[in-house]
Amino acid sequence: MHDPRFDKLAHGLVNFSTKLGKGEKVLIDAFDIPPEMSVALIRAARAAGAVPLVQVHQSRISREMALGAQEEQLEVTSTIQLAQMKKMDAYIAVRGGDNITELSDVPPEKMKLLSKKMKPVLDWRVKKTRWCVLRWPSPSMAQSAGMSTEAFEKFFFDVCTLNYAKMQPGMKALKAAMEETDHVEIKGPGTDLRFSIKGIKAVPCGGTHNIPDGEVFTAPVRNSVQGVVTYNAPTIYQGTAFDSVRLEFKDGKIVNATANNTEKLNAILDSDAGARYIGEFAIGFNPYILQPMRDILFDEKINGSFHFTPGQCYEETENGNRSQVHWDLVNIQREDYGGGMILFDGKLIRENGRFIPKPLQALNPERLK
């Protein structure tokens, strides 16, 4: 039986997130999701007058391909996929899967090769198309979130079909505040960071690229980061689970990094020279997302959080850092996670996860629901 929530979500992705128009081509990447959701997206795209193209993926097959990945194979794959992406006006990816650690036993050198060879496709998609990416609910995601499957599905559709237009006024005010700021201080348990964001643009994200959404991001001046940050949200990167990641900085560079898996953490940070510098600083405020679930598309939007990202910067917030790594690591500053403060040029902007200046109070949870 068809679920009407599929249609509501597909309508939002097509008409709000990617704003598809007549004759525009959209690539729908379907990763381990029900055929009914792919059908809903196809029908929504056609109703908007667009031309849908679909790719279907299975995570176990992707793992097998990654295990034996060879440079020649990936060069062919990258060439074909890049040519296809260059024909697209938009891109929608819905990513499911029963096992979020499916790639955990793929050797790091294979993951590094895969990231390197497929980076041109990613770069074209991010820079040249209107794109939107979201996860698909599964029992494993529900388990990670500590919820029943039915309760998690309800949470998922509530979050993903949120009226994102409500975020616009507060995001506009936060963007302006960030673009007027030079010196940022972030304080909390295990965290004492100082850096500059002077001269770097800020970008509001309210349902147009990632679903769920709810953040404003910028980037630090590359060599300005000093101090230490301890991330209290668990994370998955390249199929491996990490907890209690702690990074120390000197003149922008990560000079010491520890976690529950310190060896693999440092292997990732040694992928290239840019992986030990920060490419993104973002403040999250989705009112419905309160707890980490090891899924970055959710966790980076947690209400009262910020993320501070080793690796590649975005073109819109250029700080000169280049890397094949882009790892959104999250710290939650609400009182139930130990609290914390964010200051812009010495002015208190957010305390214990709540925005203080009146224009920014529009981003506090009770104003967004």
Side-chain angles (χ1 to χ4, degrees):
M1 183 178 295
H2 190 74
D3 190 330
R5 297 177 301 183
F6 293 10
D7 298 322
K8 183 178 181 181
L9 179 57
H11 182 272
L13 295 173
V14 165
N15 294 285
F16 181 81
S17 300
T18 55
K19 296 180 174 62
L20 287 175
K22 186 175 181 179
E24 291 189 313
K25 293 178 286 295
V26 56
L27 178 60
I28 298 168
D29 252 351
F31 295 78
D32 287 321
I33 66 172
E36 292 83 358
M37 186 61 207
S38 298
V39 169
L41 284 166
I42 293 167
R43 290 175 178 172
R46 286 174 174 164
V51 179
L53 295 93
V54 180
Q55 292 184 148
V56 177
H57 306 264
Q58 293 181 326
S59 56
R60 292 188 64 182
I61 293 174
S62 298
R63 171 186 172 274
E64 186 61 34
M65 292 297 288
L67 282 170
Q70 298 178 354
E71 190 162 346
E72 182 181 9
Q73 164 211 331
L74 291 175
E75 285 178 356
V76 173
T77 302
S78 178
T79 299
I80 292 170
Q81 292 192 13
L82 181 58
Q84 180 185 48
M85 195 65 72
K86 286 182 176 181
K87 298 288 186 180
M88 298 299 118
D89 300 291
Y91 173 87
I92 298 172
V94 186
R95 297 171 177 169
D98 293 328
N99 183 358
I100 60 174
T101 59
E102 190 67 57
L103 299 178
S104 61
D105 56 354
V106 176
E109 63 271 17
K110 294 294 186 182
M111 294 302 300
K112 183 177 179 180
L113 178 64
L114 189 64
S115 296
K116 179 181 178 182
K117 292 299 181 181
M118 299 309 294
K119 190 172 182 295
V121 183
L122 174 64
D123 287 346
W124 187 277
R125 186 259 288 176
V126 169
K127 297 175 183 179
K128 302 291 187 179
T129 74
R130 301 192 305 279
W131 58 270
C132 185
V133 175
L134 67 157
R135 291 283 288 160
W136 185 256
S138 68
S140 67
M141 290 176 71
Q143 187 175 32
S144 294
M147 301 170 69
S148 70
T149 302
E150 182 178 352
F152 182 77
E153 286 179 357
K154 182 181 184 306
F155 161 75
F156 173 87
F157 285 106
D158 285 346
V159 168
C160 292
T161 58
L162 173 70
N163 182 1
Y164 285 103
K166 285 187 175 182
M167 290 183 177
Q168 301 303 317
M171 289 195 305
K172 182 178 179 181
L174 181 55
K175 168 182 165 66
M178 293 173 102
E179 291 182 343
E180 292 168 359
T181 295
D182 178 356
H183 190 64
V184 177
E185 296 175 76
I186 304 179
K187 300 180 182 294
T191 296
D192 186 3
L193 277 176
R194 303 167 302 282
F195 55 93
S196 174
I197 55 173
K198 185 177 182 179
I200 299 179
K201 290 184 178 180
V203 178
C205 300
T208 57
H209 289 85
N210 289 324
I211 299 291
D213 218 344
E215 67 171 279
V216 176
F217 72 90
T218 182
V221 175
R222 187 174 184 269
N223 297 320
S224 71
V225 184
Q226 310 285 351
V228 60
V229 58
T230 302
Y231 301 97
N232 56 14
T235 182
I236 295 276
Y237 194 74
Q238 294 183 353
T240 298
F242 292 89
D243 295 280
S244 304
V245 175
R246 182 181 185 274
L247 305 178
E248 294 181 26
F249 296 85
K250 182 177 180 182
D251 299 332
K253 186 177 182 179
I254 298 168
V255 294
N256 189 39
T258 60
N260 64 314
N261 192 336
T262 296
E263 182 178 356
K264 194 156 188 177
L265 168 64
N266 281 278
I268 293 169
L269 295 176
D270 289 334
S271 295
D272 52 44
R276 286 190 177 265
Y277 290 82
I278 295 297
E280 180 186 0
F281 161 56
I283 297 176
F285 42 78
N286 189 295
Y288 289 110
I289 307 176
L290 302 177
Q291 313 299 336
M293 46 181 285
R294 293 190 190 271
D295 189 303
I296 195 57
L297 288 181
F298 285 78
D299 293 354
E300 68 178 357
K301 318 302 189 321
I302 289 173
N303 180 52
S305 73
F306 71 89
H307 51 279
F308 206 57
T309 306
Q312 177 75 17
C313 69
Y314 287 108
E315 187 176 83
E316 306 99 308
T317 56
E318 180 64 66
N319 77 343
N321 202 42
R322 297 290 178 270
S323 176
Q324 67 193 43
V325 171
H326 183 91
W327 188 358
D328 292 313
L329 290 160
V330 177
N331 179 287
I332 307 167
Q333 294 189 303
R334 300 195 315 271
E335 282 187 312
D336 52 329
Y337 278 84
M341 299 183 296
I342 298 177
L343 298 95
F344 288 176
D345 291 328
K347 179 181 179 181
L348 185 61
I349 295 298
R350 200 178 70 179
E351 184 174 24
N352 297 335
R354 293 188 61 82
F355 291 97
I356 305 303
K358 189 173 181 179
L360 301 185
Q361 290 178 15
L363 294 176
N364 286 330
E366 65 274 10
R367 301 280 293 274
L368 295 175
K369 292 183 178 180

